[in-house]
Amino acid sequence: MAKEIGPKIVLTFRRGNFASDDDFKKACKQPKPKKEKHEKNISTNKLGERRGRVFVERQNVDTMALRKRKKLKKSVDTKEET
């Protein structure tokens, strides 16, 4: 005869009848799944990688601080003289 090892657990069935129909419906009610938010300009390729487009405004090159080169300066000066 084998001895039991560990604590002894007694499980009993205490409730044998269901609740009223209204209460049963409330208990079994599951929330609706949330709609996924649509992401603009994002697509997925055949490998499952996500690709997206980024829109950037046009840059005004005239007001940008660029390196001033002598060649560029000469070409601008000749245009102003004509």
Side-chain angles (χ1 to χ4, degrees), residues 3-53:
K3 286 188 172 181
E4 290 186 29
I5 299 174
K8 186 176 179 181
I9 299 173
V10 178
L11 301 173
T12 58
F13 185 70
R14 292 175 28 186
R15 183 172 289 202
N17 51 355
F18 289 107
S20 65
D21 290 337
D22 295 334
D23 292 338
F24 186 74
K25 283 182 184 178
K26 284 181 186 177
C28 293
K29 188 175 182 181
Q30 292 188 356
K32 293 180 182 178
K34 289 186 177 181
K35 264 190 174 179
E36 290 185 18
K37 189 175 181 182
H38 176 70
E39 296 178 349
K40 292 183 179 181
N41 304 317
I42 294 178
S43 60
T44 311
N45 62 8
K46 292 179 182 177
L47 298 176
E49 296 173 335
R50 293 174 63 190
R51 297 286 176 165
R53 281 188 182 174

Side-chain angles (χ1 to χ4, degrees), residues 40-72:
K40 292 183 179 181
N41 304 317
I42 294 178
S43 60
T44 311
N45 62 8
K46 292 179 182 177
L47 298 176
E49 296 173 335
R50 293 174 63 190
R51 297 286 176 165
R53 281 188 182 174
V54 178
F55 294 93
V56 181
E57 293 181 17
R58 277 199 170 269
Q59 294 178 345
N60 190 357
V61 182
D62 297 332
T63 59
M64 286 175 71
L66 300 173
R67 277 196 237 156
K68 296 182 181 179
R69 298 187 181 167
K70 292 180 182 179
K71 290 182 181 179
L72 290 175

